């Protein structure tokens, strides 16, 4: 109740409504749990509008576990557990239909095949020189598309591929590529394989890996999220790996929720930790690079320095600090599609800063943020490992 977290909340900063801030949302959750508050559409909207950026949690002096709390309350809303305990007036039924849609939405967007098909359609339109038409008239989906022209059809990484097997003493790592690894994010996957091979690692990418479950976890489908994590543990657990490397800070945070038999490490952090002596010298690159820090990297993984430490391995690179890295960019999983106006407003300060600084590259270790910023900037945002791979 101290309110220290409130000024750090991006959604509170937009509406100045207590119910759109962490303290207000905790009060709403308390009211629902005690049965003094109905799960009506207004209440649901205030809880649903949270970005799960956890800026509030990182400053709370009482160490309130806000991230776990909002996941739990959304899970309870999705299962209608509050409907029988409401005691206040009018239409108290929760938006059951909306929650059913949320569950289906998460399941649709957490399929590699879905992204692959969408990417194939976009590639076709681009080749017909109709990409601009999709971006202009494709509604929110069109606006959310990054500016890069897909030059290749979705990349299908072969089942149980071991990339460029190294000599017998090579260490073998697994690569978790996420739902977008064969479409939106395939350049980062290719770059990761190249860099890891150059460092003497064989890379295994099991085709049967599934979504990390982040969208389900934050969308109230906790059971499905846990099932997906368990499936990935089984897939990678029996593969005789030194480590499971994850492309995407949000996916890494999600897979780290539970203990795994193989160490799970976000790839930027893994590469940054490899001593300089094990790297072949990278050629100098005098480019200016701005690093966008995803909330999942700073507040879930608590590794805000990984990207900079990795990029420091490239001689001559100039890192341009971003003052807007203390605030969520607005992507927040599917938030950019479900709350487009809010997502765009939250992105604006980042775009203003980048347009003033004019760096040669913008990097982000999370594909959701990268896509959202690239769509607003009209220029690519790449994964840091892609910059490293350029020198190989
Ligand atoms: S997680 Fe982010 S958006 Fe949600 S209440 Fe906390 S600071 Fe606000
Ligand atoms: S979550 Fe923490 S910082 Fe925010 S009001 Fe409660 S005790 Fe204070």
């Amino acid at each position: 109740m101290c309110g220290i977290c409130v000024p750090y909340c991006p959604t509170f900063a937009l509406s100045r409504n207590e119910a759109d801030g962490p303290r207000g949302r905790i009060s709403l959750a308390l009211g629902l749990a005690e049965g003094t508050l109905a799960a009506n559409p207004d209440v649901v909207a205030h809880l649903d509008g949270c970005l799960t950026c956890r800026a509030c949690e990182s400053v709370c002096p009482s160490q309130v576990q806000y991230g776990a709390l909002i996941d739990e309350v959304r899970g309870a809303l999705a299962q209608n557990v509050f409907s029988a305990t409401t005691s206040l007036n009018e239409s108290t039924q929760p938006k059951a239909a909306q929650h059913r849609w949320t569950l289906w939405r998460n399941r649709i967007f957490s399929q590699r095949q879905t992204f692959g098909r969408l990417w194939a359609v976009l590639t076709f339109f681009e080749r017909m020189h109709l990409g601009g038409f999709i971006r202009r008239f494709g509604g929110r989906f069109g606006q959310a598309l990054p500016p890069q022209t897909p030059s290749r059809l979705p990349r299908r990484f072969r089942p149980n591929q071991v990339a460029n097997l190294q000599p017998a003493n090579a260490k073998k790592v697994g690569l978790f590529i996420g739902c977008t690894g064969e479409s939106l994010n395939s350049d980062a996957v290719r770059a990761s394989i190249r860099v890891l091979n150059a460092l003497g690692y064989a890379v295994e990418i099991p085709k049967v890996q599934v979504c990390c479950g982040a969208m389900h976890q934050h969308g109230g489908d906790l059971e499905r999220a846990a099932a997906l994590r368990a499936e990935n543990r089984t897939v990678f657990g029996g593969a005789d790996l030194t480590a499971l490397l994850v492309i995407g800070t949000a996916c890494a945070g999600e897979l780290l929720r539970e203990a795994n038999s193989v160490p799970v490490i976000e790839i930027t952090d893994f590469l940054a930790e490899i001593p300089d002596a094990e790297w072949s010298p990278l050629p100098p690159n005098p480019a200016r690079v701005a690093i966008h820090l995803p909330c999942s990297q700073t507040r879930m993984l608590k590794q805000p320095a990984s990207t900079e430490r990795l990029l420091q391995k490239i001689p001559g690179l100039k890192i341009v600090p971003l003052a807007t890295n203390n605030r969520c960019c607005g992507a927040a999983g599917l938030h950019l599609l479900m709350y487009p106006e809010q997502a765009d407003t939250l992105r604006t300060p980042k775009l203003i800063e980048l347009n003033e600084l004019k760096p040669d590259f913008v990097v982000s270790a999370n594909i959701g943020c990268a896509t959202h910023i690239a769509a607003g900037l009209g220029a690519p945002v790449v994964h840091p490992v892609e910059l490293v791979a350029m020198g190989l």
Side-chain angles (χ1 to χ4, degrees):
M1 287 298 141
C2 68
I4 285 174
C5 56
V6 176
Y8 293 86
C9 173
T11 54
F12 174 79
L14 291 184
S15 72
R16 296 277 156 190
N17 182 337
E18 175 74 11
D20 289 329
R23 184 173 57 180
R25 289 184 175 123
I26 291 171
S27 297
L28 294 178
L30 189 63
L32 289 170
E34 290 179 339
T36 56
L37 195 62
N40 63 41
D42 277 349
V43 170
V44 172
H46 289 303
L47 294 168
D48 203 43
C50 170
L51 303 157
T52 333
C53 69
R54 288 165 62 169
C56 49
E57 190 174 303
S58 65
V59 296
C60 173
S62 304
Q63 299 184 341
V64 170
Q65 301 295 298
Y66 177 87
L69 188 150
I70 192 75
D71 286 355
E72 288 293 330
V73 77
R74 284 171 172 171
L77 281 168
Q79 291 176 11
N80 285 341
V81 301
F82 298 127
S83 57
T85 57
T86 51
S87 59
L88 295 184
N89 55 47
E90 25 89 52
S91 83
T92 58
Q93 282 304 307
K95 292 164 73 178
Q98 177 185 320
H99 285 299
R100 270 199 297 278
W101 153 238
T102 304
L103 300 187
W104 279 110
R105 178 198 73 190
N106 293 340
R107 290 180 186 197
I108 290 167
F109 279 99
S110 59
Q111 306 277 340
R112 281 206 310 284
Q113 294 89 337
T114 307
F115 272 102
R117 285 183 197 120
L118 284 172
W119 203 242
V121 170
L122 182 63
T123 306
F124 171 78
F125 274 89
E126 292 282 7
R127 286 183 180 171
M128 303 293 286
H129 303 287
L130 292 171
F133 178 83
I134 296 257
R135 287 179 177 81
R136 186 150 179 210
F137 299 107
R140 183 58 189 168
F141 287 97
Q143 291 165 14
L145 288 171
Q148 300 100 314
T149 307
S151 54
R152 288 168 282 225
L153 286 169
R155 169 70 191 267
R156 187 60 49 87
F157 294 100
R158 278 178 280 123
N160 300 318
Q161 174 191 30
V162 177
N164 303 344
L165 252 183
Q166 301 295 305
N169 60 353
K171 290 174 262 183
K172 189 166 73 169
V173 290
L175 197 59
F176 182 85
I177 63 174
C179 305
T180 56
E182 287 166 338
S183 48
L184 267 176
N185 212 19
S186 61
D187 286 344
V189 177
R190 266 185 288 271
S192 301
I193 295 170
R194 261 181 84 198
V195 174
L196 287 164
N197 284 171
L199 286 161
Y201 289 90
V203 181
E204 180 145 325
I205 308 175
K207 187 188 175 191
V208 287
Q209 60 181 281
V210 292
C211 170
C212 68
M215 274 185 279
H216 310 77
Q217 177 74 24
H218 304 308
D221 198 352
L222 307 188
E223 210 175 297
R224 179 77 182 137
L228 289 167
R229 289 195 296 270
E231 211 171 323
N232 279 316
R233 275 201 302 280
T234 306
V235 169
F236 287 101
D240 186 24
L241 304 172
T242 312
L244 167 55
L245 307 184
V246 185
I247 302 179
T249 50
C251 303
E254 208 51 46
L255 292 174
L256 279 163
R257 272 181 195 278
E258 285 148 23
N260 294 273
S261 55
V262 180
V264 175
I265 311 170
E266 191 272 320
I267 189 158
T268 317
D269 195 57
F270 178 82
L271 294 173
E273 284 292 311
I274 294 178
D276 290 350
E278 292 181 29
W279 290 77
S280 303
L282 293 166
N285 183 346
R288 294 170 70 246
V289 180
I291 299 172
H292 164 72
L293 289 179
C295 302
S296 48
Q297 191 173 24
T298 54
R299 301 189 187 113
M300 269 184 100
L301 298 175
K302 298 188 172 33
Q303 293 164 349
S306 304
T307 301
E308 184 163 349
R309 279 192 293 119
L310 175 60
L311 294 183
Q312 279 169 349
K313 294 185 187 295
I314 304 174
L317 207 68
K318 293 179 195 64
I319 309 285
V320 183
L322 287 185
T324 47
N325 271 338
N326 61 346
R327 281 276 161 117
C328 175
C329 68
L334 287 180
H335 206 84
L336 80 166
L337 293 177
M338 308 315 294
Y339 298 88
E341 278 182 29
Q342 192 184 74
D344 288 357
T345 307
L346 290 168
R347 180 181 59 183
T348 300
K350 179 83 64 186
L351 298 184
I352 292 172
E353 189 177 19
L354 288 171
N355 280 321
E356 279 171 3
L357 292 169
K358 296 195 183 353
D360 299 307
F361 294 98
V362 183
V363 299
S364 170
N366 195 52
I367 184 64
C369 312
T371 307
H372 186 48
I373 295 168
L377 204 58
V381 174
V382 300
H383 192 284
V385 76
E386 291 180 58
L387 277 192
V388 178
M390 281 176 199
L392 296 176

